[in-house]
Amino acid sequence: MHILKFGGTSVGSVESIKQVIAIIEQHRQNDTSIAVVFSAMGGVTNQLIEIGRMAITGETDYMELVRRIEDRHFNIVKTLIPVKEQGKVVAHIRGIINELEDLLRGVSLIRELTLRTHDLITSFGERLATTIIAECVKSRGIPAQFLDARTIIKTDAQFGQAGVNYTLTNELVKAHFDKVAGTAGAPVQLITGFIGSTEKNETTTLGRGGSDYTASIIGAALNADMIDIWTDVDGMMTADPRKVPNAFNIPTITYAEAMELSHFGAKVIYPPSLQPAFARNIPIRVLNTFNPTHEGTLVSRTAERRQYTITGISSIDDIALVNVQGSGMIGVAGVSAKLFGVLAAHKISVILISQASSEHSICFAIDPRGAENVKAVLDAEFATEIAHGHIDNIAIERDLSVIATVGEGMRKSSGIAGKLFSVLGKNGVNIVAVAQGSSEINISVVINKNNLSKALNALHNIFFQSEARVLNLYLVGTGLIGKTLLKQIFDQNEFLRTEKLLKVCVVGMTNTRKMLLAPRGIDLDSWQERLLTEGVTTSLPAFVEKIKDYNLPNSVFIDCTSDKDIVQFYESLLDANISVVTPNKVANSGPYSEYRRLQRTALNRGVKFLYETNVGAGLPIINTVQGLMTAGDRFLKIEAILSGTLSYIFNTFRIGTSFADVVREAKEKGYTEPDPRDDLSGQDVARKILILAREAGFPLEPEDVTINNLLPDSCLSAPTIPAFFDELERNNAYFEALLTSAETRGEKLRFVAGFENNKAVIELRSVGPEHPFYMLSGSDNIVSFTTERYKERPLVIKGPGAGAEVTASGVFADVVSIGSYLA
Ligand SMILES: NC(=O)c1ccc[n+]([C@@H]2O[C@H](COP(=O)([O-])OP(=O)(O)OC[C@H]3O[C@@H](n4cnc5c(N)ncnc54)[C@H](O)[C@@H]3O)[C@@H](O)[C@H]2O)c1
Ligand SMILES: N[C@@H](CCO)C(=O)O
Ligand code: NA
């Protein structure tokens, strides 16, 4: 025997009832013997409750609502039953509605609605729906029979949520089905869900999940092979898809997991109502009436081997936490008995409990709507203890949520809690309380409500690993480097997704004119167009505020400008657990205290502040210095060529050519700063040697760097970039003289930065063929580190140190390393 149960949405309309009939026919063709349980048409139960309420207050409009219910049912008859049979069925329905109307007249006369009558009124929903569907099924030539569950399910008289008398019920169910099996054609039993009756034949209802309960009771009594719960979603999902867009179907789940998940708000099934079936080890499938070929979710005692260590993540979005603490609780037996005794006596349901072994405090989560009441109750109950100072005031904390991570795979497997806390920590989600039962299949954490969506998505992303981890990027600056970076991300996305399980998603971008924020991602093959058409006027403060508002997990802010004002936002971004990656040197080359503060903030927040491209573009210079420092080496001396622009210029400039033209070429090749005066003045190199010295452990200030000027004063003071180029033209002889003097000695011009004995000096030198800096070409940078461990021969890094591709690539590598760190 196979039991099918169809919920309210499955029997809510003509179309869905057609689906239901098709599913029943399918089973008949497969020759399975079935019994089918139905809920009321979607919305009807609530309408009946409303009608009852109106009837007691004497409002007569309730008849209007009754008419609407009647029309909805008649409409099914008219569309799904052949005309010649309609009269009989309409009369039948009319008869049932008349009974309801008589009952309501009684209620409105005596102005009283007992729970008993309330149950009777709501029973009409299932009775009407099942009657009609039975007629529809029969009219299709399928042998079928309407079965009023009140004749087989016997309960006590606790109206509203009646307790089932299993002994009697099981006997009646078996007897009925035995009799049916002996009847010619063995008609399919179409059964009203939700209702039963007392021994005195008074109508009762079975409470929440009532029709599932009916299916479960009958299935258990008949020892069914399977129970199918047909609903309007493809089974249970790994998380609520409204909160976690990447949630997906769970193919198999255990009873225990289903129970844990549903307690935390996964509403597809209500497992307590399936208890009779669980007890008999009857598998249950959750299926979609509107997508009947989908495999849905199989709920059974053991789940098959899983791909993931956890099964699902669920949440209760709004809870309050009550904290009872005080020195008088330590080592005193009976405090918790008293506490929870009082809560039970006041019918206060506790969602989660946590007590640390110090016994100094107990906290528990409750529905926030009851918080005031709980406080009053506990204040009264513990008045003496509070007065004597044994217990502090009862404290209530609100605006919290609880997230449950559930799965049999967590049992006896280490590292899961570690992963969970680490992900939340790296995303700046503070954990207010924690609970894990010894069953180990549920770890629950209480967090601030405003972090709920971020936490759910971050956890889902990390635990369901076959899905790539998402990095959310915000890019400021879509100039040379920014644009190249976007192109590189676009080209590399597929590789990152498949090989590194990393999904890099650009969710915001801005330049000086427009900004665009799209939490669902911006397509990188058309970002220019989108920024132009959908972007709004740039406001950096607004951009940063939005980033914080979105509160997306694994967020990275990328500053691809040379702007001085953006830097002020870094700290607050890091503070909000957003990593920062930048080729912009401004932040790291201001006062030492600011440099230090950013480092500290990132460290304290567990996020990253990365700037490899501050020195030597994509060359691994910063990482190398940091590596040596971490391993305890000590820096003695740094000597370097750190300007790609100046390297290119002195490798290209010849007597008889224009120095200004060579500078223009460097700019066109993408080597110069947005303002090339920064390169030629030595400012850019000064910043770099300052940053290197700081990374090497020396707290240098900008004024500790001496720049021996390369340029004549008139060039240095040029007010605009065009004026600067004019001055370069005018001073061509000066640059030729420099070059000639070097060449006559057989040497080359090199703009060298040196750091030794706490002093940094930058100057133009001419070096001979024996010098390691002689053999450089193009935009090459070179840096030579003399350290305690690299003393005899220095550690040298050399290669192109400027240009769009190599710089963007260095920024990209920083971004990807954050992806690995967060994983
Ligand atoms: N070119 C290189 O080889 C190289 C190497 C290493 C580091 N860098 C650094 O990369 C950074 C970017 O250089 P680039 O050549 O791409 O510059 P760019 O002038 O081409 O681009 C700068 C972008 O930033 C935007 N921008 C500037 N201020 C802004 C603000 N306040 N708000 C929003 N957007 C703003 C501009 O609109 C533009 O899109 C600089 O800090 C530079 O020092 C460059
Ligand atoms: N303008 C810089 C870019 C690299 O930081 C240079 O020429 O070296
Ligand atoms: Na670098």
Side-chain angles (χ1 to χ4, degrees):
M1 173 66 76
H2 196 135
I3 312 288
L4 315 185
K5 177 258 162 175
F6 291 94
T9 48
S10 298
V11 298
S13 68
V14 170
E15 281 316 306
S16 63
I17 292 175
K18 279 189 191 163
Q19 271 305 118
V20 170
I21 295 170
I23 292 166
I24 293 174
E25 276 177 336
Q26 182 76 47
H27 277 278
R28 296 283 301 182
Q29 277 162 19
N30 295 348
D31 227 16
T32 7
S33 86
I34 55 169
V36 193
V37 176
F38 297 97
S39 294
M41 290 181 81
V44 166
T45 305
N46 283 343
Q47 281 176 330
L48 289 168
I49 292 171
E50 176 62 9
I51 288 170
R53 193 199 56 77
M54 289 164 86
I56 8 174
T57 56
E59 289 173 51
T60 46
D61 313 357
Y62 70 78
M63 282 307 293
E64 172 56 33
L65 261 182
V66 174
R67 278 294 79 73
R68 260 196 264 160
I69 293 179
E70 184 179 50
D71 286 348
R72 236 177 118 189
H73 289 84
F74 281 163
N75 184 41
I76 307 287
V77 176
K78 278 187 213 125
T79 26
L80 293 181
I81 291 183
V83 181
K84 60 179 183 352
E85 296 166 32
Q86 282 179 12
K88 186 185 78 193
V89 181
V90 167
H92 188 168
I93 298 293
R94 195 78 274 272
I96 301 174
I97 298 276
N98 281 343
E99 196 190 320
L100 172 64
E101 287 171 352
D102 288 347
L103 176 62
L104 292 168
R105 258 190 297 279
V107 170
S108 86
L109 277 178
I110 55 171
R111 297 280 167 99
E112 189 187 67
L113 182 58
T114 58
L115 275 177
R116 175 185 285 112
T117 312
H118 186 273
D119 272 5
L120 184 54
I121 292 175
T122 47
S123 76
F124 280 87
E126 274 68 15
R127 289 159 58 195
L128 284 166
T130 311
T131 302
I132 288 206
I133 295 166
E135 293 300 340
C136 295
V137 171
K138 282 191 270 185
S139 74
R140 307 286 295 239
I142 302 171
Q145 215 170 50
F146 168 83
L147 170 57
D148 189 328
R150 292 176 297 181
T151 61
I152 49 171
I153 295 185
K154 287 293 167 184
T155 71
D156 60 19
Q158 201 189 321
F159 297 97
Q161 182 150 21
V164 174
N165 176 341
Y166 284 102
T167 319
L168 190 52
T169 299
N170 287 348
E171 268 172 33
L172 288 170
V173 172
K174 274 188 270 190
H176 178 83
F177 278 84
D178 280 347
K179 197 173 87 205
V180 171
T183 323
V188 178
Q189 299 300 294
L190 305 177
I191 311 161
T192 54
F194 185 54
I195 60 177
S197 69
T198 63
E199 277 176 56
K200 288 194 252 164
N201 291 328
E202 296 157 309
T203 301
T204 52
T205 59
L206 304 178
R208 190 174 156 200
S211 297
D212 288 0
Y213 196 16
T214 307
S216 175
I217 294 165
I218 295 172
L222 298 175
N223 205 8
D225 306 308
M226 177 77 84
I227 299 176
D228 286 349
I229 307 288
W230 289 89
T231 173
D232 60 346
V233 290
D234 296 332
M236 297 183 78
M237 299 189 81
T238 50
D240 182 342
R242 287 165 303 180
K243 299 197 187 84
V244 181
N246 288 334
F248 54 88
N249 169 263
I250 303 173
T252 68
I253 192 168
T254 67
Y255 298 139
E257 289 170 332
M259 202 75 89
E260 295 285 348
L261 278 176
S262 74
H263 174 64
F264 282 89
K267 300 250 159 41
V268 182
I269 52 171
Y270 180 61
S273 66
L274 299 172
Q275 181 53 36
F278 291 172
R280 289 250 171 174
N281 203 11
I282 299 169
I284 293 164
R285 283 189 303 194
V286 182
L287 298 165
N288 188 352
T289 303
F290 306 93
N291 187 14
T293 52
H294 193 284
E295 60 170 354
T297 299
L298 178 70
V299 192
S300 62
R301 188 164 287 174
T302 52
E304 67 194 21
R305 273 197 80 72
R306 307 297 200 2
Q307 196 179 350
Y308 308 107
T309 42
I310 74 161
T311 303
I313 304 169
S314 193
S315 63
I316 302 177
D317 299 0
D318 201 8
I319 60 149
L321 207 59
V322 184
N323 196 33
V324 183
Q325 81 173 45
S327 54
M329 295 168 61
I330 301 175
V332 179
V335 179
S336 50
K338 181 168 171 186
L339 175 62
F340 293 110
V342 178
L343 295 176
H346 287 84
K347 292 199 163 26
I348 295 158
S349 171
V350 174
I351 299 169
L352 161 156
I353 304 170
S354 172
Q355 176 180 15
S357 60
S358 75
E359 302 180 39
H360 176 237
S361 68
I362 299 181
C363 75
F364 57 92
I366 53 168
D367 183 329
R369 287 169 297 185
E372 284 312 320
N373 177 34
V374 168
K375 181 161 164 52
V377 164
L378 294 181
D379 278 342
E381 191 67 25
F382 289 99
T384 328
E385 288 89 339
I386 294 172
H388 289 132
H390 297 320
I391 285 183
D392 307 342
N393 280 334
I394 310 282
I396 309 244
E397 204 176 333
R398 292 169 184 277
D399 295 324
L400 300 171
S401 303
V402 49
I403 294 186
T405 307
V406 170
E408 302 271 1
M410 299 181 0
R411 194 177 290 178
K412 298 196 172 58
S413 134
S414 62
I416 293 163
K419 203 166 180 178
L420 184 144
F421 292 120
S422 144
V423 170
L424 295 181
K426 284 170 180 171
N427 277 291
V429 177
N430 180 43
I431 293 165
V432 182
V434 184
Q436 175 187 316
S438 55
S439 74
E440 296 185 47
I441 77 163
N442 176 345
I443 302 177
S444 298
V445 293
V446 177
I447 60 169
N448 279 321
K449 199 175 166 180
N450 62 350
N451 279 326
L452 178 63
S453 161
K454 174 161 82 169
L456 283 171
N457 282 284
L459 289 174
H460 196 273
N461 203 230
I462 207 82
F463 280 114
F464 295 102
Q465 284 265 3
S466 76
E467 151 202 348
R469 294 173 311 278
V470 179
L471 264 190
N472 291 305
L473 308 189
Y474 297 93
L475 174 69
V476 186
T478 57
L480 184 64
I481 307 297
K483 196 183 290 174
T484 310
L485 174 66
L486 291 175
K487 170 83 171 45
Q488 290 182 355
I489 295 175
F490 177 70
D491 291 343
Q492 190 65 357
N493 239 340
E494 185 57 24
F495 173 85
L496 288 178
R497 211 173 49 71
T498 53
E499 301 302 315
K500 300 282 169 206
L501 291 181
L502 193 65
K503 188 171 165 213
V504 179
C505 197
V506 178
V507 287
M509 54 172 68
T510 173
N511 54 32
T512 35
R513 295 168 301 282
K514 293 240 164 149
M515 64 178 190
L516 174 67
L517 285 143
R520 300 178 66 180
I522 301 167
D523 281 340
L524 293 188
D525 52 353
S526 55
W527 66 265
Q528 268 117 329
E529 195 188 316
R530 234 186 125 186
L531 182 60
L532 206 64
T533 53
E534 291 174 42
V536 296
T537 305
T538 296
S539 151
L540 214 47
F543 189 72
V544 169
E545 267 328 293
K546 271 272 186 271
I547 295 176
K548 292 183 193 164
D549 273 0
Y550 287 151
N551 203 9
L552 296 180
N554 308 341
S555 299
V556 183
F557 178 88
I558 308 172
D559 171 12
C560 276
T561 75
S562 55
D563 194 82
K564 294 184 179 56
D565 297 329
I566 295 186
V567 167
Q568 62 178 308
F569 296 105
Y570 290 5
E571 190 176 1
S572 77
L573 286 160
L574 293 169
D575 244 334
N577 288 85
I578 295 160
S579 292
V580 175
V581 172
T582 186
N584 184 351
K585 297 148 204 135
V586 174
N588 283 328
S589 55
Y592 181 78
S593 57
E594 281 172 23
Y595 161 84
R596 188 78 189 142
R597 206 170 54 234
L598 291 176
Q599 309 276 332
R600 283 280 137 201
T601 308
L603 202 62
N604 290 340
R605 286 289 168 192
V607 290
K608 294 287 176 186
F609 173 40
L610 300 180
Y611 41 85
E612 176 55 80
T613 49
N614 272 193
V615 181
L619 295 179
I621 296 177
I622 302 276
N623 278 313
T624 303
V625 177
Q626 290 179 345
L628 293 174
M629 287 298 289
T630 314
D633 203 352
R634 296 245 301 278
F635 282 76
L636 304 173
K637 183 174 160 189
I638 302 171
E639 221 182 357
I641 289 178
L642 296 174
S643 170
T645 301
L646 291 170
S647 208
Y648 176 80
I649 291 171
F650 293 123
N651 284 326
T652 312
F653 182 47
R654 298 279 172 269
I655 305 291
T657 62
S658 151
F659 188 81
D661 279 349
V662 182
V663 178
R664 278 192 195 95
E665 268 171 51
K667 185 164 169 54
E668 273 155 26
K669 288 187 182 294
Y671 301 149
T672 69
E673 289 305 289
D675 181 344
R677 286 174 296 178
D678 285 348
D679 296 288
L680 280 104
S681 65
Q683 186 59 244
D684 178 68
V685 174
R687 287 178 171 152
K688 288 171 178 164
I689 192 72
L690 178 65
I691 295 169
L692 273 189
R694 286 174 173 179
E695 292 296 319
F698 300 91
L700 243 59
E701 293 295 345
E703 52 276 17
D704 298 327
V705 183
T706 310
I707 307 174
N708 292 328
N709 272 333
L710 149 81
L711 296 181
D713 287 347
S714 62
C715 298
L716 277 177
S717 57
T720 61
I721 299 179
F724 173 66
F725 277 102
D726 289 345
E727 280 306 319
L728 290 181
E729 303 275 11
R730 257 193 286 282
N731 284 283
N732 210 51
Y734 165 82
F735 296 108
E736 285 194 340
L738 287 177
L739 186 58
T740 313
S741 120
E743 284 185 345
T744 46
R745 290 195 300 271
E747 294 182 342
K748 288 190 174 167
L749 289 173
R750 295 290 180 242
F751 197 60
V752 180
F755 172 77
E756 203 174 0
N757 298 328
N758 277 319
K759 286 273 167 286
V761 178
I762 297 166
E763 61 199 355
L764 188 67
R765 286 195 213 156
S766 73
V767 299
E770 75 296 342
H771 195 281
F773 292 179
Y774 184 86
M775 287 299 293
L776 283 189
S777 51
S779 65
D780 277 1
N781 279 19
I782 186 165
V783 49
S784 150
F785 295 117
T786 308
T787 70
E788 291 285 2
R789 294 174 189 162
Y790 290 91
K791 208 186 282 180
E792 300 309 318
R793 293 185 308 123
L795 186 157
V796 176
I797 300 167
K798 186 185 120 179
E805 291 294 344
V806 293
T807 307
S809 171
V811 174
F812 196 5
D814 277 349
V815 169
V816 171
S817 79
I818 293 176
S820 319
Y821 164 73
L822 290 170

